Amino acid sequence: MERHGDLQILVREFPTNDLCDIPPEELAAIADEIRELISTGRTVVVVDSGGIGRVGQVCKFMNATPVS
């Protein structure tokens, strides 16, 4: 961060439960965060430790296409 502060990696965590639907209000908060970061020129990577399930929900909510 001292040498490359403007290139730092930001980590945003949205705790969810495995094999469960993400509540609509949580999906909206996640989507808002992603849109805000993208609007500032950031690259956004959405990660799900269990696979595509929750990432798929976020992508569907945002009309985005997941890349595996």
Side-chain angles (χ1 to χ4, degrees), residues 1-55:
M1 288 177 64
E2 291 176 20
R3 293 186 206 162
H4 305 287
D6 55 336
L7 299 175
Q8 65 185 323
I9 296 172
L10 302 175
V11 176
R12 302 287 196 256
E13 185 174 5
F14 292 88
T16 56
N17 295 311
D18 291 339
L19 305 173
C20 294
D21 288 341
I22 301 172
E25 62 275 1
E26 188 73 9
L27 281 169
I30 294 167
D32 288 346
E33 183 75 23
I34 291 169
R35 289 185 188 107
E36 180 181 331
L37 291 167
I38 289 172
S39 75
T40 63
R42 303 300 297 242
T43 298
V44 177
V45 178
V46 180
V47 177
D48 177 351
S49 63
I52 193 70
R54 290 166 285 182
V55 169

mmCIF file of all heavy atoms in Angstrom, residues 1-55:
data_model
loop_
_atom_site.group_PDB
_atom_site.id
_atom_site.type_symbol
_atom_site.label_atom_id
_atom_site.label_comp_id
_atom_site.label_asym_id
_atom_site.label_seq_id
_atom_site.Cartn_x
_atom_site.Cartn_y
_atom_site.Cartn_z
ATOM 1 N N MET A 1 0.828 -1.192 0.000
ATOM 2 C CA MET A 1 0.000 0.000 0.000
ATOM 3 C C MET A 1 0.872 1.256 0.000
ATOM 4 O O MET A 1 0.469 2.258 -0.561
ATOM 5 C CB MET A 1 -0.957 -0.012 1.186
ATOM 6 C CG MET A 1 -2.087 -1.035 1.028
ATOM 7 S SD MET A 1 -3.199 -1.149 2.440
ATOM 8 C CE MET A 1 -3.921 0.465 2.428
ATOM 9 N N GLU A 2 2.033 1.196 0.618
ATOM 10 C CA GLU A 2 2.892 2.382 0.641
ATOM 11 C C GLU A 2 3.435 2.728 -0.740
ATOM 12 O O GLU A 2 3.504 3.888 -1.102
ATOM 13 C CB GLU A 2 4.049 2.168 1.615
ATOM 14 C CG GLU A 2 3.622 2.136 3.058
ATOM 15 C CD GLU A 2 4.781 1.835 3.999
ATOM 16 O OE1 GLU A 2 5.952 2.020 3.596
ATOM 17 O OE2 GLU A 2 4.505 1.407 5.117
ATOM 18 N N ARG A 3 3.823 1.701 -1.509
ATOM 19 C CA ARG A 3 4.413 1.944 -2.824
ATOM 20 C C ARG A 3 3.385 2.050 -3.935
ATOM 21 O O ARG A 3 3.596 2.729 -4.919
ATOM 22 C CB ARG A 3 5.385 0.816 -3.173
ATOM 23 C CG ARG A 3 6.587 0.799 -2.290
ATOM 24 C CD ARG A 3 7.554 -0.243 -2.775
ATOM 25 N NE ARG A 3 8.359 -0.692 -1.649
ATOM 26 C CZ ARG A 3 9.036 -1.789 -1.621
ATOM 27 N NH1 ARG A 3 9.032 -2.603 -2.660
ATOM 28 N NH2 ARG A 3 9.738 -2.116 -0.564
ATOM 29 N N HIS A 4 2.277 1.345 -3.808
ATOM 30 C CA HIS A 4 1.290 1.270 -4.875
ATOM 31 C C HIS A 4 -0.119 1.466 -4.319
ATOM 32 O O HIS A 4 -1.021 0.693 -4.632
ATOM 33 C CB HIS A 4 1.384 -0.081 -5.591
ATOM 34 C CG HIS A 4 2.740 -0.397 -6.107
ATOM 35 N ND1 HIS A 4 3.271 0.224 -7.203
ATOM 36 C CD2 HIS A 4 3.700 -1.230 -5.645
ATOM 37 C CE1 HIS A 4 4.496 -0.231 -7.425
ATOM 38 N NE2 HIS A 4 4.781 -1.108 -6.488
ATOM 39 N N GLY A 5 -0.306 2.495 -3.551
ATOM 40 C CA GLY A 5 -1.584 2.720 -2.879
ATOM 41 C C GLY A 5 -2.780 2.760 -3.798
ATOM 42 O O GLY A 5 -3.842 2.243 -3.478
ATOM 43 N N ASP A 6 -2.607 3.364 -4.992
ATOM 44 C CA ASP A 6 -3.745 3.455 -5.910
ATOM 45 C C ASP A 6 -3.994 2.154 -6.662
ATOM 46 O O ASP A 6 -4.968 2.024 -7.385
ATOM 47 C CB ASP A 6 -3.558 4.607 -6.885
ATOM 48 C CG ASP A 6 -2.246 4.541 -7.647
ATOM 49 O OD1 ASP A 6 -1.294 3.914 -7.148
ATOM 50 O OD2 ASP A 6 -2.171 5.145 -8.731
ATOM 51 N N LEU A 7 -3.110 1.168 -6.485
ATOM 52 C CA LEU A 7 -3.284 -0.129 -7.125
ATOM 53 C C LEU A 7 -3.665 -1.215 -6.120
ATOM 54 O O LEU A 7 -3.679 -2.390 -6.452
ATOM 55 C CB LEU A 7 -1.995 -0.544 -7.849
ATOM 56 C CG LEU A 7 -1.539 0.381 -8.959
ATOM 57 C CD1 LEU A 7 -0.202 -0.084 -9.501
ATOM 58 C CD2 LEU A 7 -2.561 0.458 -10.064
ATOM 59 N N GLN A 8 -3.947 -0.816 -4.920
ATOM 60 C CA GLN A 8 -4.225 -1.794 -3.874
ATOM 61 C C GLN A 8 -5.450 -2.649 -4.179
ATOM 62 O O GLN A 8 -6.343 -2.249 -4.909
ATOM 63 C CB GLN A 8 -4.394 -1.102 -2.536
ATOM 64 C CG GLN A 8 -5.599 -0.182 -2.459
ATOM 65 C CD GLN A 8 -5.658 0.574 -1.170
ATOM 66 O OE1 GLN A 8 -5.315 0.041 -0.130
ATOM 67 N NE2 GLN A 8 -6.084 1.819 -1.219
ATOM 68 N N ILE A 9 -5.450 -3.827 -3.629
ATOM 69 C CA ILE A 9 -6.578 -4.739 -3.759
ATOM 70 C C ILE A 9 -7.547 -4.464 -2.617
ATOM 71 O O ILE A 9 -7.160 -4.465 -1.450
ATOM 72 C CB ILE A 9 -6.105 -6.205 -3.713
ATOM 73 C CG1 ILE A 9 -5.216 -6.496 -4.916
ATOM 74 C CG2 ILE A 9 -7.293 -7.154 -3.662
ATOM 75 C CD1 ILE A 9 -4.542 -7.848 -4.867
ATOM 76 N N LEU A 10 -8.780 -4.215 -2.959
ATOM 77 C CA LEU A 10 -9.827 -4.014 -1.956
ATOM 78 C C LEU A 10 -10.582 -5.322 -1.795
ATOM 79 O O LEU A 10 -10.919 -5.973 -2.777
ATOM 80 C CB LEU A 10 -10.802 -2.927 -2.413
ATOM 81 C CG LEU A 10 -10.217 -1.552 -2.711
ATOM 82 C CD1 LEU A 10 -11.301 -0.639 -3.265
ATOM 83 C CD2 LEU A 10 -9.600 -0.955 -1.471
ATOM 84 N N VAL A 11 -10.852 -5.688 -0.574
ATOM 85 C CA VAL A 11 -11.624 -6.903 -0.311
ATOM 86 C C VAL A 11 -12.913 -6.494 0.388
ATOM 87 O O VAL A 11 -12.883 -5.842 1.424
ATOM 88 C CB VAL A 11 -10.831 -7.902 0.571
ATOM 89 C CG1 VAL A 11 -11.686 -9.110 0.906
ATOM 90 C CG2 VAL A 11 -9.540 -8.308 -0.119
ATOM 91 N N ARG A 12 -14.017 -6.868 -0.207
ATOM 92 C CA ARG A 12 -15.325 -6.623 0.394
ATOM 93 C C ARG A 12 -15.941 -7.987 0.655
ATOM 94 O O ARG A 12 -16.000 -8.833 -0.235
ATOM 95 C CB ARG A 12 -16.231 -5.845 -0.550
ATOM 96 C CG ARG A 12 -15.686 -4.514 -0.990
ATOM 97 C CD ARG A 12 -15.751 -3.498 0.146
ATOM 98 N NE ARG A 12 -15.583 -2.158 -0.367
ATOM 99 C CZ ARG A 12 -14.464 -1.453 -0.244
ATOM 100 N NH1 ARG A 12 -13.423 -1.978 0.356
ATOM 101 N NH2 ARG A 12 -14.384 -0.247 -0.730
ATOM 102 N N GLU A 13 -16.401 -8.195 1.857
ATOM 103 C CA GLU A 13 -16.964 -9.495 2.214
ATOM 104 C C GLU A 13 -18.451 -9.349 2.505
ATOM 105 O O GLU A 13 -18.874 -8.453 3.233
ATOM 106 C CB GLU A 13 -16.245 -10.064 3.437
ATOM 107 C CG GLU A 13 -16.705 -11.458 3.789
ATOM 108 C CD GLU A 13 -15.889 -12.066 4.920
ATOM 109 O OE1 GLU A 13 -15.038 -11.381 5.484
ATOM 110 O OE2 GLU A 13 -16.147 -13.235 5.233
ATOM 111 N N PHE A 14 -19.211 -10.255 1.917
ATOM 112 C CA PHE A 14 -20.645 -10.344 2.163
ATOM 113 C C PHE A 14 -20.917 -11.774 2.612
ATOM 114 O O PHE A 14 -21.094 -12.663 1.776
ATOM 115 C CB PHE A 14 -21.440 -10.007 0.898
ATOM 116 C CG PHE A 14 -21.336 -8.565 0.485
ATOM 117 C CD1 PHE A 14 -20.321 -8.136 -0.350
ATOM 118 C CD2 PHE A 14 -22.249 -7.636 0.956
ATOM 119 C CE1 PHE A 14 -20.216 -6.812 -0.725
ATOM 120 C CE2 PHE A 14 -22.158 -6.303 0.590
ATOM 121 C CZ PHE A 14 -21.132 -5.885 -0.254
ATOM 122 N N PRO A 15 -20.937 -12.024 3.911
ATOM 123 C CA PRO A 15 -21.152 -13.395 4.399
ATOM 124 C C PRO A 15 -22.501 -13.952 3.929
ATOM 125 O O PRO A 15 -23.526 -13.284 4.030
ATOM 126 C CB PRO A 15 -21.116 -13.257 5.919
ATOM 127 C CG PRO A 15 -20.372 -11.979 6.169
ATOM 128 C CD PRO A 15 -20.726 -11.090 5.003
ATOM 129 N N THR A 16 -22.459 -15.156 3.384
ATOM 130 C CA THR A 16 -23.653 -15.858 2.941
ATOM 131 C C THR A 16 -23.560 -17.301 3.411
ATOM 132 O O THR A 16 -22.522 -17.729 3.909
ATOM 133 C CB THR A 16 -23.787 -15.819 1.405
ATOM 134 O OG1 THR A 16 -22.599 -16.373 0.830
ATOM 135 C CG2 THR A 16 -23.987 -14.403 0.888
ATOM 136 N N ASN A 17 -24.627 -18.036 3.242
ATOM 137 C CA ASN A 17 -24.650 -19.432 3.666
ATOM 138 C C ASN A 17 -24.596 -20.355 2.460
ATOM 139 O O ASN A 17 -25.269 -20.116 1.452
ATOM 140 C CB ASN A 17 -25.923 -19.723 4.472
ATOM 141 C CG ASN A 17 -25.937 -18.954 5.771
ATOM 142 O OD1 ASN A 17 -24.964 -18.968 6.517
ATOM 143 N ND2 ASN A 17 -27.027 -18.270 6.038
ATOM 144 N N ASP A 18 -23.808 -21.418 2.578
ATOM 145 C CA ASP A 18 -23.717 -22.406 1.517
ATOM 146 C C ASP A 18 -25.091 -22.979 1.194
ATOM 147 O O ASP A 18 -25.904 -23.212 2.088
ATOM 148 C CB ASP A 18 -22.796 -23.564 1.926
ATOM 149 C CG ASP A 18 -21.343 -23.154 2.016
ATOM 150 O OD1 ASP A 18 -20.972 -22.129 1.402
ATOM 151 O OD2 ASP A 18 -20.572 -23.854 2.681
ATOM 152 N N LEU A 19 -25.318 -23.203 -0.074
ATOM 153 C CA LEU A 19 -26.521 -23.873 -0.580
ATOM 154 C C LEU A 19 -27.823 -23.150 -0.223
ATOM 155 O O LEU A 19 -28.891 -23.764 -0.186
ATOM 156 C CB LEU A 19 -26.572 -25.326 -0.094
ATOM 157 C CG LEU A 19 -25.329 -26.163 -0.421
ATOM 158 C CD1 LEU A 19 -25.408 -27.517 0.261
ATOM 159 C CD2 LEU A 19 -25.142 -26.299 -1.920
ATOM 160 N N CYS A 20 -27.733 -21.847 0.041
ATOM 161 C CA CYS A 20 -28.932 -21.060 0.351
ATOM 162 C C CYS A 20 -29.039 -19.887 -0.619
ATOM 163 O O CYS A 20 -28.033 -19.380 -1.113
ATOM 164 C CB CYS A 20 -28.868 -20.511 1.768
ATOM 165 S SG CYS A 20 -28.912 -21.770 3.047
ATOM 166 N N ASP A 21 -30.259 -19.464 -0.867
ATOM 167 C CA ASP A 21 -30.449 -18.265 -1.673
ATOM 168 C C ASP A 21 -29.967 -17.046 -0.896
ATOM 169 O O ASP A 21 -30.121 -16.974 0.328
ATOM 170 C CB ASP A 21 -31.923 -18.082 -2.026
ATOM 171 C CG ASP A 21 -32.403 -19.096 -3.050
ATOM 172 O OD1 ASP A 21 -31.559 -19.703 -3.746
ATOM 173 O OD2 ASP A 21 -33.627 -19.284 -3.151
ATOM 174 N N ILE A 22 -29.400 -16.101 -1.624
ATOM 175 C CA ILE A 22 -28.997 -14.836 -1.018
ATOM 176 C C ILE A 22 -30.248 -13.957 -0.977
ATOM 177 O O ILE A 22 -30.916 -13.778 -2.003
ATOM 178 C CB ILE A 22 -27.888 -14.157 -1.840
ATOM 179 C CG1 ILE A 22 -26.664 -15.074 -1.943
ATOM 180 C CG2 ILE A 22 -27.513 -12.814 -1.219
ATOM 181 C CD1 ILE A 22 -25.583 -14.574 -2.890
ATOM 182 N N PRO A 23 -30.575 -13.392 0.184
ATOM 183 C CA PRO A 23 -31.767 -12.543 0.274
ATOM 184 C C PRO A 23 -31.676 -11.361 -0.702
ATOM 185 O O PRO A 23 -30.587 -10.841 -0.959
ATOM 186 C CB PRO A 23 -31.761 -12.049 1.724
ATOM 187 C CG PRO A 23 -30.910 -13.034 2.462
ATOM 188 C CD PRO A 23 -29.890 -13.520 1.476
ATOM 189 N N PRO A 24 -32.825 -10.925 -1.249
ATOM 190 C CA PRO A 24 -32.835 -9.841 -2.237
ATOM 191 C C PRO A 24 -32.126 -8.569 -1.768
ATOM 192 O O PRO A 24 -31.420 -7.928 -2.545
ATOM 193 C CB PRO A 24 -34.321 -9.578 -2.483
ATOM 194 C CG PRO A 24 -35.001 -10.845 -2.095
ATOM 195 C CD PRO A 24 -34.166 -11.459 -1.002
ATOM 196 N N GLU A 25 -32.296 -8.217 -0.507
ATOM 197 C CA GLU A 25 -31.644 -6.985 -0.017
ATOM 198 C C GLU A 25 -30.125 -7.141 0.014
ATOM 199 O O GLU A 25 -29.383 -6.178 -0.209
ATOM 200 C CB GLU A 25 -32.194 -6.560 1.347
ATOM 201 C CG GLU A 25 -31.972 -7.557 2.474
ATOM 202 C CD GLU A 25 -33.016 -8.661 2.573
ATOM 203 O OE1 GLU A 25 -33.949 -8.722 1.755
ATOM 204 O OE2 GLU A 25 -32.877 -9.487 3.488
ATOM 205 N N GLU A 26 -29.644 -8.339 0.272
ATOM 206 C CA GLU A 26 -28.204 -8.603 0.259
ATOM 207 C C GLU A 26 -27.681 -8.594 -1.178
ATOM 208 O O GLU A 26 -26.612 -8.046 -1.452
ATOM 209 C CB GLU A 26 -27.903 -9.938 0.935
ATOM 210 C CG GLU A 26 -26.438 -10.209 1.152
ATOM 211 C CD GLU A 26 -25.819 -9.369 2.268
ATOM 212 O OE1 GLU A 26 -26.537 -8.685 3.007
ATOM 213 O OE2 GLU A 26 -24.592 -9.394 2.379
ATOM 214 N N LEU A 27 -28.431 -9.182 -2.103
ATOM 215 C CA LEU A 27 -28.053 -9.131 -3.516
ATOM 216 C C LEU A 27 -27.969 -7.683 -3.997
ATOM 217 O O LEU A 27 -27.038 -7.319 -4.723
ATOM 218 C CB LEU A 27 -29.059 -9.901 -4.374
ATOM 219 C CG LEU A 27 -28.922 -11.417 -4.377
ATOM 220 C CD1 LEU A 27 -30.138 -12.052 -5.045
ATOM 221 C CD2 LEU A 27 -27.639 -11.847 -5.063
ATOM 222 N N ALA A 28 -28.907 -6.864 -3.591
ATOM 223 C CA ALA A 28 -28.890 -5.452 -3.983
ATOM 224 C C ALA A 28 -27.663 -4.744 -3.428
ATOM 225 O O ALA A 28 -27.024 -3.949 -4.132
ATOM 226 C CB ALA A 28 -30.168 -4.760 -3.521
ATOM 227 N N ALA A 29 -27.302 -5.030 -2.182
ATOM 228 C CA ALA A 29 -26.115 -4.409 -1.576
ATOM 229 C C ALA A 29 -24.844 -4.850 -2.298
ATOM 230 O O ALA A 29 -23.945 -4.038 -2.557
ATOM 231 C CB ALA A 29 -26.037 -4.768 -0.088
ATOM 232 N N ILE A 30 -24.765 -6.127 -2.641
ATOM 233 C CA ILE A 30 -23.609 -6.654 -3.372
ATOM 234 C C ILE A 30 -23.530 -5.988 -4.741
ATOM 235 O O ILE A 30 -22.464 -5.514 -5.163
ATOM 236 C CB ILE A 30 -23.700 -8.183 -3.496
ATOM 237 C CG1 ILE A 30 -23.573 -8.843 -2.113
ATOM 238 C CG2 ILE A 30 -22.627 -8.709 -4.453
ATOM 239 C CD1 ILE A 30 -23.955 -10.318 -2.084
ATOM 240 N N ALA A 31 -24.647 -5.927 -5.445
ATOM 241 C CA ALA A 31 -24.678 -5.319 -6.777
ATOM 242 C C ALA A 31 -24.290 -3.844 -6.715
ATOM 243 O O ALA A 31 -23.541 -3.359 -7.569
ATOM 244 C CB ALA A 31 -26.059 -5.491 -7.399
ATOM 245 N N ASP A 32 -24.784 -3.130 -5.711
ATOM 246 C CA ASP A 32 -24.433 -1.713 -5.550
ATOM 247 C C ASP A 32 -22.929 -1.544 -5.370
ATOM 248 O O ASP A 32 -22.314 -0.646 -5.958
ATOM 249 C CB ASP A 32 -25.171 -1.092 -4.363
ATOM 250 C CG ASP A 32 -26.648 -0.877 -4.619
ATOM 251 O OD1 ASP A 32 -27.081 -0.957 -5.796
ATOM 252 O OD2 ASP A 32 -27.383 -0.639 -3.631
ATOM 253 N N GLU A 33 -22.341 -2.389 -4.549
ATOM 254 C CA GLU A 33 -20.893 -2.328 -4.301
ATOM 255 C C GLU A 33 -20.119 -2.598 -5.586
ATOM 256 O O GLU A 33 -19.166 -1.884 -5.917
ATOM 257 C CB GLU A 33 -20.508 -3.342 -3.222
ATOM 258 C CG GLU A 33 -19.063 -3.314 -2.836
ATOM 259 C CD GLU A 33 -18.683 -2.131 -1.958
ATOM 260 O OE1 GLU A 33 -19.568 -1.568 -1.297
ATOM 261 O OE2 GLU A 33 -17.493 -1.784 -1.934
ATOM 262 N N ILE A 34 -20.533 -3.616 -6.329
ATOM 263 C CA ILE A 34 -19.860 -3.953 -7.587
ATOM 264 C C ILE A 34 -19.976 -2.796 -8.574
ATOM 265 O O ILE A 34 -18.976 -2.383 -9.185
ATOM 266 C CB ILE A 34 -20.453 -5.248 -8.178
ATOM 267 C CG1 ILE A 34 -20.070 -6.443 -7.298
ATOM 268 C CG2 ILE A 34 -19.982 -5.452 -9.619
ATOM 269 C CD1 ILE A 34 -20.806 -7.734 -7.639
ATOM 270 N N ARG A 35 -21.164 -2.251 -8.731
ATOM 271 C CA ARG A 35 -21.362 -1.133 -9.670
ATOM 272 C C ARG A 35 -20.535 0.086 -9.273
ATOM 273 O O ARG A 35 -19.966 0.762 -10.135
ATOM 274 C CB ARG A 35 -22.844 -0.771 -9.748
ATOM 275 C CG ARG A 35 -23.672 -1.798 -10.470
ATOM 276 C CD ARG A 35 -25.120 -1.334 -10.626
ATOM 277 N NE ARG A 35 -25.934 -2.407 -11.141
ATOM 278 C CZ ARG A 35 -26.824 -3.091 -10.449
ATOM 279 N NH1 ARG A 35 -27.064 -2.801 -9.185
ATOM 280 N NH2 ARG A 35 -27.509 -4.067 -11.007
ATOM 281 N N GLU A 36 -20.473 0.360 -7.990
ATOM 282 C CA GLU A 36 -19.687 1.509 -7.521
ATOM 283 C C GLU A 36 -18.207 1.320 -7.855
ATOM 284 O O GLU A 36 -17.550 2.240 -8.349
ATOM 285 C CB GLU A 36 -19.861 1.693 -6.012
ATOM 286 C CG GLU A 36 -19.071 2.873 -5.472
ATOM 287 C CD GLU A 36 -19.228 3.049 -3.972
ATOM 288 O OE1 GLU A 36 -20.285 2.677 -3.428
ATOM 289 O OE2 GLU A 36 -18.288 3.561 -3.348
ATOM 290 N N LEU A 37 -17.674 0.139 -7.586
ATOM 291 C CA LEU A 37 -16.262 -0.124 -7.878
ATOM 292 C C LEU A 37 -15.984 -0.052 -9.379
ATOM 293 O O LEU A 37 -14.985 0.532 -9.807
ATOM 294 C CB LEU A 37 -15.851 -1.482 -7.316
ATOM 295 C CG LEU A 37 -15.802 -1.565 -5.789
ATOM 296 C CD1 LEU A 37 -15.689 -3.014 -5.331
ATOM 297 C CD2 LEU A 37 -14.652 -0.731 -5.246
ATOM 298 N N ILE A 38 -16.866 -0.632 -10.176
ATOM 299 C CA ILE A 38 -16.684 -0.582 -11.628
ATOM 300 C C ILE A 38 -16.738 0.859 -12.129
ATOM 301 O O ILE A 38 -15.960 1.254 -12.998
ATOM 302 C CB ILE A 38 -17.722 -1.470 -12.333
ATOM 303 C CG1 ILE A 38 -17.403 -2.954 -12.082
ATOM 304 C CG2 ILE A 38 -17.768 -1.186 -13.835
ATOM 305 C CD1 ILE A 38 -18.467 -3.916 -12.563
ATOM 306 N N SER A 39 -17.630 1.658 -11.577
ATOM 307 C CA SER A 39 -17.769 3.050 -12.027
ATOM 308 C C SER A 39 -16.529 3.881 -11.744
ATOM 309 O O SER A 39 -16.303 4.904 -12.388
ATOM 310 C CB SER A 39 -18.997 3.701 -11.382
ATOM 311 O OG SER A 39 -18.747 4.016 -10.018
ATOM 312 N N THR A 40 -15.697 3.423 -10.808
ATOM 313 C CA THR A 40 -14.455 4.145 -10.506
ATOM 314 C C THR A 40 -13.259 3.548 -11.251
ATOM 315 O O THR A 40 -12.124 3.910 -10.990
ATOM 316 C CB THR A 40 -14.161 4.155 -8.990
ATOM 317 O OG1 THR A 40 -13.965 2.812 -8.534
ATOM 318 C CG2 THR A 40 -15.288 4.809 -8.214
ATOM 319 N N GLY A 41 -13.554 2.609 -12.169
ATOM 320 C CA GLY A 41 -12.494 2.031 -12.978
ATOM 321 C C GLY A 41 -11.811 0.821 -12.380
ATOM 322 O O GLY A 41 -10.799 0.353 -12.907
ATOM 323 N N ARG A 42 -12.350 0.306 -11.299
ATOM 324 C CA ARG A 42 -11.749 -0.867 -10.660
ATOM 325 C C ARG A 42 -12.113 -2.137 -11.404
ATOM 326 O O ARG A 42 -13.164 -2.226 -12.025
ATOM 327 C CB ARG A 42 -12.223 -0.999 -9.202
ATOM 328 C CG ARG A 42 -11.963 0.182 -8.292
ATOM 329 C CD ARG A 42 -10.511 0.534 -8.134
ATOM 330 N NE ARG A 42 -9.716 -0.494 -7.527
ATOM 331 C CZ ARG A 42 -9.060 -0.383 -6.385
ATOM 332 N NH1 ARG A 42 -9.120 0.732 -5.710
ATOM 333 N NH2 ARG A 42 -8.334 -1.381 -5.931
ATOM 334 N N THR A 43 -11.246 -3.122 -11.322
ATOM 335 C CA THR A 43 -11.550 -4.461 -11.790
ATOM 336 C C THR A 43 -12.182 -5.204 -10.628
ATOM 337 O O THR A 43 -11.668 -5.148 -9.510
ATOM 338 C CB THR A 43 -10.264 -5.190 -12.238
ATOM 339 O OG1 THR A 43 -9.703 -4.476 -13.332
ATOM 340 C CG2 THR A 43 -10.562 -6.621 -12.652
ATOM 341 N N VAL A 44 -13.282 -5.889 -10.869
ATOM 342 C CA VAL A 44 -14.009 -6.581 -9.803
ATOM 343 C C VAL A 44 -13.999 -8.084 -10.067
ATOM 344 O O VAL A 44 -14.311 -8.523 -11.170
ATOM 345 C CB VAL A 44 -15.464 -6.076 -9.709
ATOM 346 C CG1 VAL A 44 -16.241 -6.847 -8.654
ATOM 347 C CG2 VAL A 44 -15.486 -4.579 -9.415
ATOM 348 N N VAL A 45 -13.629 -8.836 -9.050
ATOM 349 C CA VAL A 45 -13.666 -10.292 -9.102
ATOM 350 C C VAL A 45 -14.573 -10.756 -7.971
ATOM 351 O O VAL A 45 -14.344 -10.417 -6.810
ATOM 352 C CB VAL A 45 -12.256 -10.904 -8.930
ATOM 353 C CG1 VAL A 45 -12.316 -12.422 -8.929
ATOM 354 C CG2 VAL A 45 -11.312 -10.400 -10.016
ATOM 355 N N VAL A 46 -15.604 -11.506 -8.309
ATOM 356 C CA VAL A 46 -16.531 -12.039 -7.308
ATOM 357 C C VAL A 46 -16.183 -13.507 -7.104
ATOM 358 O O VAL A 46 -16.128 -14.272 -8.063
ATOM 359 C CB VAL A 46 -18.002 -11.884 -7.774
ATOM 360 C CG1 VAL A 46 -18.953 -12.440 -6.722
ATOM 361 C CG2 VAL A 46 -18.310 -10.426 -8.078
ATOM 362 N N VAL A 47 -15.946 -13.877 -5.855
ATOM 363 C CA VAL A 47 -15.477 -15.226 -5.538
ATOM 364 C C VAL A 47 -16.452 -15.897 -4.580
ATOM 365 O O VAL A 47 -16.925 -15.285 -3.628
ATOM 366 C CB VAL A 47 -14.073 -15.177 -4.891
ATOM 367 C CG1 VAL A 47 -13.606 -16.556 -4.503
ATOM 368 C CG2 VAL A 47 -13.080 -14.513 -5.832
ATOM 369 N N ASP A 48 -16.703 -17.161 -4.839
ATOM 370 C CA ASP A 48 -17.527 -17.994 -3.970
ATOM 371 C C ASP A 48 -16.688 -19.217 -3.616
ATOM 372 O O ASP A 48 -16.285 -19.964 -4.505
ATOM 373 C CB ASP A 48 -18.799 -18.401 -4.716
ATOM 374 C CG ASP A 48 -19.698 -19.339 -3.929
ATOM 375 O OD1 ASP A 48 -19.293 -19.838 -2.862
ATOM 376 O OD2 ASP A 48 -20.813 -19.591 -4.398
ATOM 377 N N SER A 49 -16.423 -19.430 -2.359
ATOM 378 C CA SER A 49 -15.565 -20.538 -1.946
ATOM 379 C C SER A 49 -16.152 -21.896 -2.293
ATOM 380 O O SER A 49 -15.433 -22.884 -2.373
ATOM 381 C CB SER A 49 -15.302 -20.482 -0.435
ATOM 382 O OG SER A 49 -16.526 -20.632 0.275
ATOM 383 N N GLY A 50 -17.450 -21.950 -2.528
ATOM 384 C CA GLY A 50 -18.095 -23.229 -2.812
ATOM 385 C C GLY A 50 -18.340 -23.487 -4.284
ATOM 386 O O GLY A 50 -18.885 -24.511 -4.645
ATOM 387 N N GLY A 51 -17.961 -22.572 -5.144
ATOM 388 C CA GLY A 51 -18.193 -22.764 -6.574
ATOM 389 C C GLY A 51 -18.998 -21.640 -7.175
ATOM 390 O O GLY A 51 -18.841 -20.492 -6.800
ATOM 391 N N ILE A 52 -19.900 -21.971 -8.070
ATOM 392 C CA ILE A 52 -20.639 -20.968 -8.830
ATOM 393 C C ILE A 52 -21.984 -20.592 -8.203
ATOM 394 O O ILE A 52 -22.604 -19.622 -8.598
ATOM 395 C CB ILE A 52 -20.825 -21.441 -10.299
ATOM 396 C CG1 ILE A 52 -21.300 -20.297 -11.195
ATOM 397 C CG2 ILE A 52 -21.794 -22.606 -10.375
ATOM 398 C CD1 ILE A 52 -20.281 -19.258 -11.445
ATOM 399 N N GLY A 53 -22.442 -21.307 -7.201
ATOM 400 C CA GLY A 53 -23.786 -21.103 -6.648
ATOM 401 C C GLY A 53 -24.120 -19.675 -6.287
ATOM 402 O O GLY A 53 -25.047 -19.078 -6.837
ATOM 403 N N ARG A 54 -23.384 -19.114 -5.375
ATOM 404 C CA ARG A 54 -23.680 -17.750 -4.939
ATOM 405 C C ARG A 54 -23.224 -16.717 -5.956
ATOM 406 O O ARG A 54 -23.896 -15.713 -6.170
ATOM 407 C CB ARG A 54 -23.091 -17.499 -3.561
ATOM 408 C CG ARG A 54 -23.851 -18.303 -2.493
ATOM 409 C CD ARG A 54 -23.134 -18.356 -1.189
ATOM 410 N NE ARG A 54 -22.025 -19.307 -1.350
ATOM 411 C CZ ARG A 54 -21.184 -19.639 -0.394
ATOM 412 N NH1 ARG A 54 -21.279 -19.095 0.781
ATOM 413 N NH2 ARG A 54 -20.233 -20.520 -0.605
ATOM 414 N N VAL A 55 -22.080 -16.965 -6.604
ATOM 415 C CA VAL A 55 -21.644 -16.063 -7.673
ATOM 416 C C VAL A 55 -22.699 -16.061 -8.781
ATOM 417 O O VAL A 55 -23.021 -15.017 -9.342
ATOM 418 C CB VAL A 55 -20.260 -16.474 -8.236
ATOM 419 C CG1 VAL A 55 -19.939 -15.712 -9.498
ATOM 420 C CG2 VAL A 55 -19.180 -16.260 -7.193
#
